[in-house]
Amino acid sequence: MDIYEEIKKLTEISAMSGREDRMISYIISRLKESADDLHVDKMGNVTATYLGRGENPPSIAYFAHMDEVGLIVKKIEDTGFLRLERVGGIPEKVLPSEFLDVHTLDGTTSVRGVVGNTSHHLTSAEKKFSVPAINEIYVDIGCRSKEEVLSLGVDIGSSVTYVPNFMKMGNCIVSKSLDDRMGIYTLLALAEHLETAEHEATVYLIFTVQEEFNVRSSTPTFKRLEPDAAICVDISPACDTPELEGKYDMALGKGVAIMYMNFHGRGTLGGLLPNPKLNQFLEEIAKDELMNCQKEVVIGVITDDAFTQLAGTEGIPMAHLSIPLRYTHSPAEAACVKDIEDCAELMCLSACKFGRHVDLSRGC
């Protein structure tokens, strides 16, 4: 599986939160031949099961989210311009003059648009250094009336996403929605590995929905499966650029990160404090295999595992692998290819080494 071609394909698939059907279909097409069981729940979460050995094997789940940040059309002006609301953490600062795909309400096609940006020659001095709020932003799709917009199949409720733009940049890749298509890539790489590798445990590969919107939509899947352990695969902001240098020890090219705490940073949204023994299990594998690994503690990030750890009757031991990513939630996210490959390798090794001998108990 060529990493460049695969991630390019994944980032080209539009899958805004709540509109993940194209990605769901793609995942099904990729795994229907290899998985022992393939299940799609009513939310849209996809679970591919690879059965372990014996009558009652332990189970471990690996999961990553299929959705991407986006916008939704909330109003069509009589003059044909579109007004938007954010779906997930789209930063307003990146939007002026940005090219966007505006999808028809039925999701079958899209039209290209551009976010309006006041002509430089007529921008007032006080607005030259300000970021427009979302209620000031509009999209131009070349229509001159509301009726013309509707005739294209675009309506209130249409989803809006960044334009596909994958490219190579040195030993890095740059694209929209690397968060979390890199994680999806590692799950597909693990699926390919499990076709031939021996593994004691039953392995669940879970492709989740709506992480960017509410980070809770995967909970029914974990309540249904109640695996003995689970590992989330997502991104973490790299702090190796000039404006973030030194904020956290997270950099491109230094390997996948094993997370020790993440937290949204405000309110009751919480975060994850992973199972210490599951982290130790991953650390020991990385050490034995001489793999580069980073350790992560970050405030301002929250992912699926913040809530899925609470699923079932006793909770689920969780760990989290992060792939460092620059320029998160922008149309030009950047990651190191080697970090992605290291993450996939650690997942493959841990899936095959996980068994009843792995002690995840607390208090001893």
Side-chain angles (χ1 to χ4, degrees):
M1 184 165 61
D2 181 87
I3 187 169
Y4 296 102
E5 288 302 316
E6 186 64 47
I7 295 181
K8 180 177 185 291
K9 171 67 176 177
L10 289 169
T11 58
E12 287 173 347
I13 298 172
S14 168
M16 188 187 80
S17 294
R19 310 290 175 87
E20 299 95 344
D21 292 283
R22 288 182 61 204
M23 184 63 75
I24 292 168
S25 295
Y26 179 71
I27 297 301
I28 291 171
S29 70
R30 287 295 306 276
L31 300 182
K32 63 183 178 181
E33 298 299 328
S34 67
D36 293 304
D37 182 69
L38 204 55
H39 180 269
V40 183
D41 70 14
K42 293 178 182 179
M43 292 296 300
N45 300 298
V46 180
T47 304
T49 302
Y50 295 80
L51 295 174
R53 300 195 306 267
E55 293 186 4
N56 186 30
S59 59
I60 184 168
Y62 295 82
F63 60 111
H65 66 87
M66 295 182 286
D67 61 311
E68 62 189 290
V69 294
L71 304 119
I72 191 167
V73 175
K74 69 175 181 181
K75 178 179 172 59
I76 304 171
E77 302 281 2
D78 291 338
T79 49
F81 295 105
L82 311 179
R83 297 288 186 174
L84 308 173
E85 284 291 351
R86 303 189 310 156
V87 179
I90 286 273
E92 288 98 329
K93 65 182 179 180
V94 307
L95 288 176
S97 297
E98 182 60 41
F99 293 111
L100 298 173
D101 278 337
V102 181
H103 301 271
T104 55
L105 196 58
D106 62 9
T108 58
T109 188
S110 63
V111 297
R112 194 61 45 91
V114 63
V115 177
N117 191 12
T118 303
S119 298
H120 173 73
H121 301 82
L122 302 179
T123 302
S124 61
E126 63 270 17
K127 288 197 172 183
K128 283 186 177 180
F129 303 101
S130 64
V131 175
I134 192 64
N135 61 4
E136 300 176 84
I137 286 171
Y138 60 89
V139 175
D140 184 348
I141 59 171
C143 293
R144 292 178 293 178
S145 68
K146 182 175 183 178
E147 290 71 26
E148 190 176 353
V149 172
L150 294 173
S151 73
L152 296 175
V154 173
D155 204 341
I156 292 171
S158 285
S159 62
V160 182
T161 54
Y162 294 136
V163 170
N165 56 357
F166 179 92
M167 73 174 199
K168 299 179 184 179
M169 185 177 72
N171 62 357
C172 297
I173 54 175
V174 179
S175 177
K176 67 133 181 131
S177 66
L178 289 181
D179 173 9
D180 190 25
R181 306 300 162 78
M182 298 187 299
I184 298 301
Y185 167 82
T186 65
L187 290 187
L188 293 175
L190 177 52
E192 189 175 81
H193 181 73
L194 292 172
E195 288 187 56
T196 57
E198 290 191 6
H199 48 99
E200 176 188 343
T202 289
V203 180
Y204 301 117
L205 305 183
I206 305 171
F207 303 78
T208 70
V209 297
Q210 295 192 39
E211 190 271 352
E212 298 292 4
F213 182 65
N214 63 22
V215 294
R216 296 174 175 85
S217 294
S218 58
T219 306
T221 294
F222 281 86
K223 186 175 181 180
R224 175 175 62 87
L225 296 173
E226 294 193 67
D228 295 309
I231 298 173
C232 182
V233 189
D234 210 322
I235 66 93
S236 187
C239 294
D240 55 356
T241 52
E243 80 283 10
L244 290 176
E245 189 172 2
K247 187 174 180 65
Y248 293 108
D249 287 335
M250 185 66 58
L252 267 58
K254 293 187 176 181
V256 62
I258 297 173
M259 195 267 290
Y260 278 80
M261 183 185 80
N262 69 16
F263 176 57
H264 190 274
R266 66 177 188 269
T268 58
L269 280 176
L272 177 69
L273 294 169
N275 181 282
K277 292 181 178 178
L278 189 53
N279 265 14
Q280 184 180 0
F281 170 68
L282 294 171
E283 292 265 13
E284 288 175 353
I285 293 172
K287 183 179 179 180
D288 290 344
E289 299 294 329
L290 303 178
M291 294 180 63
N292 289 328
C293 270
Q294 305 181 68
K295 288 184 172 67
E296 176 193 7
V297 172
V298 62
I299 303 298
V301 174
I302 185 173
T303 51
D304 272 330
D305 43 21
F307 296 97
T308 52
Q309 65 176 325
L310 307 176
T313 57
E314 296 190 24
I316 299 167
M318 289 275 175
H320 184 106
L321 296 176
S322 294
I323 302 170
L325 186 67
R326 292 176 183 165
Y327 323 126
T328 60
H329 285 197
S330 81
E333 298 177 324
C336 175
V337 171
K338 185 64 166 60
D339 294 337
I340 305 169
E341 292 173 332
D342 286 350
C343 182
E345 181 180 0
L346 184 54
M347 291 164 61
C348 291
L349 289 166
S350 61
C352 293
K353 290 177 181 290
F354 188 81
R356 289 290 180 197
H357 66 284
V358 179
D359 176 19
L360 301 179
S361 62
R362 302 303 304 272
C364 55

